[in-house]
Amino acid sequence: MSDRVFGAVFLVLALAFIAGASQFDVPRFVDPMGPKGFPRMAGAAVALSSLYMLLRPDPNPSWPDRRRLFEIAFVVLVFIGYVYAMKPIGFVAATAITASFISWRLGSRPAIAPVTGIIIGFSIYAVFHLALGLSLAKGPWGF
Amino acid sequence: METITLLMGGFEQALTPTNIALAVFGSILGTIIGALPGLGPSNGVAILIPLAFAFGLEPTAALILMTSVYYGAMYGGRISSILLNMPGDEPALMTTLDGYPMAKQGKAGEALALSGLASFFGAFLATIGLVIAGPLLAEVAFLFGPAENFALYAMAFATLGGLASRNQGKAIFAAGLGLSLAMIGLDGPTGSTRYTGGHLHLMEGVDFLVAIVGLFAITEVLMFIEHQGKESAIGIKVGRITAPIKTVWHCTGTMIRGTAIGFIAGVLPGAGASLGSFLAYSVEKRISNKENTFGKGDPRGVAAPEAGNNAAAGGALIPMLTLGIPGSGTTAVMLALLMTMNITPGPLLFAEKPDLVWGLIAALFIANIVLLILNIPMVGIFVRLLMVPSRILMPLVAMVAFAGIYSISGSLFDIGLMVAFGVLGYILRKLGIPAVPIILGILLGNQMEKHLRRALTISDGELAILWSSPISISLWAIAITGLIAPLLLRRYLRPRNQKS
């Protein structure tokens, strides 16, 4: 079933991808194949293999139960939040919060997880920014 | 003779204090990456790429660092296989079969020493193989025109697709998806914008480092969240890390066979080291398992896969350097590093940048000797590191991945894209769709298209040019064999597997 759903979704995407190629602006003088040919070939490979998955699916993989799946989705949300938080609150704070959260979800005790997170945040900052001179997002406190 | 002169020149390059320091540093990092479960070589090399930029390394030095990490990870993978029954990375999977039983019998030190020696044996001979076969292959590849290059890429995808997944349809899907993603951005010859949806960020295409780190590192974190709480601490005493001379002597034939098989598996574009260790173990078991000792702690069952996967690691560098097509996931990541530095591997690399190629090869020899020292007398340090629990390790890996990508691109859009690739990677892994063809597609898509279009320009649109020379015909033949042979082989092997 999983294969069927995945195949159906990507079949639609691939067809849209192939159709999208006709929208390209093409100059008057181009090579015989032009910029549209290869995307169509690649899209066709995706479309055909998606169709194959739709018609001849493998047995379902063992998906985690609903609670675990929700948890994975939540971690993804935290990652997205991290992206948005980086500019306003700076790299170290955003990283410390995100790392604490992951550490907690992987089994750290709630009292220990923030310590792990803060150490991770500051050590990456120390190595990447102070030692190697790479630029990381600056927060209101300058780090 | 010329090769020896070039290699000596390479040693001059590699034996500078900076480069030796990088080789040692890379070997240590690599062994750690290999030893820690859940942080494989592709992952490790991918998240360390920003480091190469941060140090401001020139290409030769950057490559020395990265290949040392790569070889180191291959050595390190066995440590957790033997002690925890948990492979540190995928190629070390076969080492668990006899390594862990040996450890339970109180022979952990012996298993570590023997496998370290086998790793050295495999990697060292494979590096010699690289010295011999690399220039030869580069010379052949020199004759390739656009049509042959297109056939070569098709062959890489076909053999990879045949080996990387049980389901050929899914491998084709992965390759097609990668090639499609490569199409995003500005088309060089015509200046058309393709699939950017008006996003300025996408004009230069999808950054392959973003895709790689997303598909490997972020996916790995999500897998860990799924399996949270599964941990095992070391309950095994390591003891003295030596192997009796008699055992080593007994395993010499095993190591030679493992090396030969692994090397060949590595050169073929495909599953690389994982396949190398799998084949080396399977063949050795068939040859030597006369008293039914395999799987119960037979030292040969440790020596064979370790010689095999390290030889494959060396072998996989050959197509990467000479043809520009990576033989494994990790070499794909290194190809990405080179391309980011504006170096295109291929036959021209040997002719135009001999310093880089031979400096790298010399560095591999040095790294091997460093690794032998790190992995036998000093292996205790790495054993202690295995006690880092995943609740500390995985957040660190994730955050280093984020910081690394941000420090290279400075764009939050790319970070978001990386998360998206991580989610995609999780779903793909659940469905058994291999990620490596996607990476390869994103890496090679534009080149492949360029060659196809050039060939068709030469022939004025006539498709027959694609299979008009003996070289291209042979490449197509290998491509078709590579896609079909695993199907037949699997059918042939199945009944026997069920018996054993």
Side-chain angles (χ1 to χ4, degrees):
Chain A
M1 192 59 201
S2 305
D3 270 12
R4 283 192 206 271
V5 173
F6 187 85
V9 170
F10 272 84
L11 182 61
V12 173
L13 288 176
L15 292 176
F17 187 86
I18 296 169
S22 41
Q23 310 266 318
F24 301 155
D25 297 320
V26 180
R28 273 165 69 88
F29 298 103
V30 289
D31 49 296
M33 192 176 186
K36 295 178 182 176
F38 201 84
R40 283 177 175 152
M41 283 169 56
V46 177
L48 289 175
S49 48
S50 301
L51 191 65
Y52 172 80
M53 273 188 259
L54 184 65
L55 299 176
R56 308 232 6 222
D58 285 340
N60 267 354
S62 61
W63 290 101
D65 56 32
R66 195 171 294 179
R67 220 193 98 236
R68 203 40 61 83
L69 215 51
F70 175 77
E71 200 159 302
I72 293 168
F74 201 78
V75 170
V76 174
L77 279 181
V78 169
F79 281 150
I80 296 169
Y82 175 61
V83 176
Y84 281 100
M86 213 181 311
K87 280 261 156 75
I89 65 171
F91 176 82
V92 176
T95 302
I97 294 167
T98 311
S100 311
F101 180 78
I102 301 174
S103 177
W104 174 52
R105 290 325 307 152
L106 286 174
S108 284
R109 270 178 288 142
I112 305 292
V115 181
T116 312
I118 291 168
I119 294 175
I120 288 176
F122 274 104
S123 27
I124 294 179
Y125 181 79
V127 174
F128 274 64
H129 187 72
L130 302 179
L132 300 174
L134 292 167
S135 62
L136 296 169
K138 256 191 194 143
W141 313 285
F143 54 79
Chain B
M1 229 25 241
E2 198 202 342
T3 308
I4 293 175
T5 322
L6 286 165
L7 185 60
M8 286 301 131
F11 272 105
E12 257 167 55
Q13 281 270 319
L15 284 172
T16 64
T18 325
N19 286 347
I20 294 176
L22 284 172
V24 174
F25 179 61
S27 301
I28 295 172
L29 269 182
T31 310
I32 295 173
I33 286 168
L36 292 170
L39 193 57
S42 326
N43 252 329
V45 176
I47 63 172
L48 288 178
I49 283 178
L51 216 64
F53 288 98
F55 286 143
L57 297 178
E58 37 104 20
T60 311
L63 257 190
I64 288 176
L65 175 66
M66 286 306 164
T67 43
S68 304
V69 172
Y70 171 55
Y71 267 34
M74 291 293 163
Y75 273 74
R78 76 192 206 287
I79 300 174
S80 49
S81 291
I82 292 170
L83 296 177
L84 302 181
N85 197 23
M86 213 153 107
D89 48 35
E90 206 190 323
L93 182 66
M94 305 310 286
T95 312
T96 58
L97 299 180
D98 280 284
Y100 188 63
M102 276 183 85
K104 280 201 295 193
Q105 294 159 18
K107 290 194 277 186
E110 188 183 324
L112 282 173
L114 184 65
S115 56
L117 205 62
S119 298
F120 176 76
F121 198 86
F124 203 82
L125 286 185
T127 312
I128 294 175
L130 171 62
V131 170
I132 297 165
L136 287 178
L137 200 59
E139 243 160 72
V140 176
F142 220 58
L143 306 170
F144 286 16
E148 286 79 13
N149 274 317
F150 179 71
L152 176 72
Y153 287 147
M155 183 197 89
F157 281 110
T159 50
L160 181 70
L163 297 171
S165 171
R166 288 180 167 278
N167 183 333
Q168 260 74 348
K170 290 185 170 175
I172 293 171
F173 175 86
L177 183 63
L179 290 171
S180 302
L181 289 170
M183 293 301 107
I184 295 171
L186 204 64
D187 173 42
T190 60
S192 313
T193 49
R194 301 194 283 193
Y195 306 113
T196 58
H199 272 282
L200 218 54
H201 287 295
L202 287 174
M203 285 295 261
E204 286 183 23
V206 175
D207 189 333
F208 25 72
L209 293 181
V210 171
I212 288 170
V213 177
L215 285 172
F216 286 129
I218 302 299
T219 299
E220 198 64 51
V221 173
L222 297 181
M223 293 304 290
F224 261 83
I225 299 279
E226 184 188 328
H227 298 291
Q228 68 191 160
K230 269 196 212 160
E231 285 200 30
S232 56
I234 300 187
I236 278 174
K237 283 229 163 63
V238 175
R240 288 195 49 181
I241 300 166
T242 50
I245 299 286
K246 218 178 90 193
T247 315
V248 175
W249 179 245
H250 190 55
C251 291
T252 315
T254 306
M255 289 194 264
I256 293 172
R257 282 190 289 274
T259 302
I261 295 165
F263 184 71
I264 294 167
V267 174
L268 291 174
S274 307
L275 183 74
S277 65
F278 173 74
L279 285 180
Y281 185 86
S282 316
V283 171
E284 191 58 33
K285 190 176 169 188
R286 196 159 283 191
I287 294 177
S288 308
N289 193 16
K290 300 216 169 71
E291 283 122 41
N292 212 11
T293 47
F294 272 62
K296 296 171 190 156
D298 190 313
R300 288 169 300 183
V302 175
E306 280 306 310
N309 77 34
N310 285 279
L317 287 172
I318 295 177
M320 197 271 271
L321 288 172
T322 57
L323 306 173
I325 52 171
S328 66
T330 320
T331 43
V333 179
M334 280 197 282
L335 182 66
L337 170 72
L338 283 177
M339 287 165 71
T340 314
M341 291 182 149
N342 278 327
I343 292 172
T344 317
L348 285 174
L349 193 67
F350 275 76
E352 286 173 358
K353 294 209 165 57
D355 292 1
L356 182 128
V357 174
W358 293 100
L360 169 66
I361 294 173
L364 290 178
F365 282 111
I366 298 167
N368 263 314
I369 291 167
V370 174
L371 281 165
L372 185 66
I373 298 167
L374 285 177
N375 276 281
I376 297 185
M378 292 167 70
V379 75
I381 303 168
F382 300 105
V383 171
R384 231 157 279 147
L385 271 172
L386 284 184
M387 303 205 197
V388 177
S390 64
R391 61 179 183 273
I392 295 173
L393 178 68
M394 290 324 280
L396 183 66
V397 169
M399 294 348 274
V400 168
F402 277 108
I405 290 296
Y406 185 82
S407 64
I408 293 179
S409 81
S411 130
L412 291 178
F413 178 84
D414 278 350
I415 303 267
L417 198 58
M418 180 175 97
V419 175
F421 270 111
V423 175
L424 178 70
Y426 174 77
I427 297 170
L428 295 178
R429 196 169 318 169
K430 277 284 164 195
L431 297 179
I433 299 172
V436 176
I438 302 179
I439 307 280
L440 210 57
I442 301 177
L443 275 176
L444 301 181
N446 291 313
Q447 294 278 338
M448 192 171 174
E449 183 192 17
K450 192 180 81 189
H451 288 302
L452 177 61
R453 282 164 73 176
R454 264 197 206 151
L456 291 178
T457 307
I458 295 170
S459 72
D460 205 19
E462 195 59 57
L463 280 174
I465 189 176
L466 297 177
W467 43 84
S468 60
S469 78
I471 295 179
S472 52
I473 292 171
S474 338
L475 289 168
W476 284 112
I478 299 173
I480 293 166
T481 319
L483 199 59
I484 296 174
L487 275 178
L488 302 175
L489 206 64
R490 216 165 280 148
R491 197 157 296 169
Y492 167 76
L493 284 174
R494 197 172 292 150
R496 295 194 185 191
N497 277 353
Q498 276 169 354
K499 244 189 284 170
S500 63

